[in-house]
Amino acid sequence: MNALPFLSRRSLRVKVMQVLFAHQHEKETDYARLERRLFSSIRDTGRAFLYQFLLLVEIADSVEREALIRQAKHLPTEADLNFSRRFYSHQMAIALRADDSFRKLMEREKLNLLLDKDVVRLAWTHLKTLPEYSEYLLSDEGDWASDRRIAQALFEQVLWLSDDVEQHLEDVFPSWDEDLDMIIPRVLHSLKNWEPGQPGPWSGDCLELPHESREFVRLLLRLSLERGEELEALVSPRLANWELERVSLMDRVLLRMALAELLYFDTIPIKVSINEYIDIAKMYSTPRSKDFINGLLDTIMQSLREEGRIKKQGRGLVE
């Protein structure tokens, strides 16, 4: 898998949006500090992504711990004698335990220190009650399809639904609420695409952004800030009877970013940029924002084309 598989281009745009939105409230003027905040935020999202896999292996290890406790009983019950270690042998858990790069990454980022034994115990107790878990125990050991399904059930029905786990994740990752819409799809994507014997989503230094992505977010942040007045000047005349100040702050931030991308990112197709910001507006702004932003960008784009200010390079970049 490529470096930083947990963040798509859309997610990177969202991270820039979050920093710009906070900037509008705080009036931070130090660009270098804002850039550091952006990259720190991206890294924290990556750490939260990796932590999901650490929880998986810790819960799998709970199976072995319980098995040893049951074995040590002086008078084991039938349930003790028939206790299944099946989930301990989950192939992703085996791969994680054996992967030295994963262990070093957990130590370097101090993610092991965030673990809460009670939360792990509660998650394991909940997992055992799922019908999917009973079905899993009947599957053949080494069946990757079954391993994939039970891992998905663990995430979707236990870790991401439990109030206790949610509180824990919010405690150790303060931006969890803001980031879960980015992290959850990427975890599920990793489960779907990872195969035994292949490098997993934790391989290498996956917390480092590829150069192209670093330059993309850095430039998008800088242009949205430094050319903010110029970009908003394109919006104001097209607001009819509205004043720019009456437009929601989130919509103003998204419009500024979209226009910066349309004007100054020569290799990103126009349709891609517009669709991305419409979709982000659906998720993070008001119910009417997507239509508002779509209509404004369409109108502004027509004028910019007529003025010859859109300079896209390559086939398929200009409609």
Side-chain angles (χ1 to χ4, degrees):
M1 291 189 179
N2 296 329
L4 210 72
F6 56 90
L7 283 184
S8 63
R9 268 292 173 95
R10 179 176 302 172
S11 295
L12 292 175
R13 290 178 173 96
V14 170
K15 300 304 286 186
V16 174
M17 176 199 74
Q18 290 170 345
V19 171
L20 288 171
F21 187 79
H23 159 73
Q24 294 297 318
H25 283 291
E26 300 165 8
K27 303 301 181 184
E28 173 64 70
T29 57
D30 186 339
Y31 174 78
R33 186 176 298 172
L34 287 170
E35 186 177 292
R36 288 194 297 272
R37 179 187 296 179
L38 171 63
F39 286 113
S40 176
S41 174
I42 290 171
R43 191 174 191 86
D44 283 346
T45 304
R47 294 175 74 247
F49 167 81
L50 288 173
Y51 191 69
Q52 308 306 301
F53 296 99
L54 180 60
L55 286 173
L56 183 148
V57 76
E58 284 296 314
I59 293 165
D61 285 348
S62 296
V63 180
E64 185 67 7
R65 287 192 289 268
E66 182 171 338
L68 293 174
I69 291 171
R70 287 172 178 266
Q71 277 184 351
K73 288 183 179 181
H74 179 61
L75 295 173
T77 64
E78 184 177 351
D80 295 328
L81 295 172
N82 294 324
F83 181 75
S84 174
R85 287 184 166 91
R86 173 80 172 85
F87 190 65
Y88 177 70
S89 300
H90 190 284
Q91 292 180 80
M92 184 170 274
I94 291 174
L96 286 162
R97 293 188 197 102
D99 194 307
D100 194 51
S101 66
F102 180 76
R103 179 185 59 78
K104 290 179 178 178
L105 197 55
M106 295 302 100
E107 292 174 355
R108 189 191 74 190
E109 298 298 322
K110 297 180 170 58
L111 293 177
N112 286 313
L113 301 180
L114 302 181
L115 289 167
D116 185 313
K117 292 181 180 179
D118 289 335
V119 169
V120 172
R121 177 180 53 79
L122 287 169
W124 163 228
T125 300
H126 186 181
L127 178 65
K128 288 187 289 185
T129 67
L130 298 182
E132 289 85 352
Y133 188 74
S134 298
E135 294 174 8
Y136 174 70
L137 295 183
L138 298 175
S139 65
D140 295 330
E141 191 163 336
D143 176 8
W144 174 233
S146 296
D147 281 353
R148 195 195 309 272
R149 285 194 295 272
I150 195 60
Q152 185 169 337
L154 170 64
F155 287 120
E156 292 185 329
Q157 299 186 53
V158 179
L159 297 181
W160 299 332
L161 278 186
S162 166
D163 291 339
D164 294 305
V165 178
E166 180 182 22
Q167 185 59 59
H168 168 66
L169 290 171
E170 289 175 357
D171 289 342
V172 297
F173 299 107
S175 62
W176 174 254
D177 276 347
E178 297 174 359
D179 290 348
L180 61 90
D181 286 335
M182 292 178 253
I183 294 170
I184 287 175
R186 303 313 291 174
V187 170
L188 296 177
H189 175 81
S190 297
L191 285 178
K192 179 180 178 181
N193 289 277
W194 183 72
E195 297 289 347
Q198 296 180 356
W202 57 83
S203 61
D205 195 351
C206 61
L207 292 179
E208 290 300 321
L209 274 175
H211 175 74
E212 182 182 359
S213 296
R214 287 186 69 85
E215 292 306 305
F216 170 72
V217 294
R218 179 183 285 121
L219 186 58
L220 183 58
L221 178 67
R222 180 178 290 275
L223 289 171
S224 299
L225 285 169
E226 292 183 348
R227 306 201 179 182
E229 292 185 5
E230 170 192 338
L231 297 170
E232 290 195 341
L234 296 172
V235 177
S236 296
R238 295 167 175 86
L239 291 176
N241 298 322
W242 283 67
E243 296 293 333
L244 183 61
E245 289 71 21
R246 293 181 62 191
V247 177
S248 75
L249 180 56
M250 182 62 75
D251 288 354
R252 290 175 63 180
V253 167
L254 292 175
L255 283 167
R256 189 187 293 189
M257 290 173 62
L259 290 170
E261 197 168 308
L262 290 167
L263 284 168
Y264 306 117
F265 288 76
D266 296 344
T267 59
I268 300 178
I270 291 173
K271 184 176 291 187
V272 168
S273 294
I274 291 178
N275 288 342
E276 285 288 276
Y277 287 100
I278 291 171
D279 286 342
I280 293 171
K282 290 178 187 177
M283 296 176 64
Y284 293 95
S285 198
T286 68
R288 296 183 178 181
S289 292
K290 62 180 179 66
D291 295 325
F292 173 70
I293 287 174
N294 186 26
L296 267 179
L297 290 179
D298 186 57
T299 301
I300 294 170
M301 282 305 306
Q302 292 181 28
S303 297
L304 293 177
R305 279 200 187 96
E306 292 171 1
E307 296 167 11
R309 295 181 62 182
I310 299 297
K311 299 176 181 178
K312 298 290 183 178
Q313 300 174 358
R315 294 181 61 188
L317 295 179
V318 181
E319 295 175 351

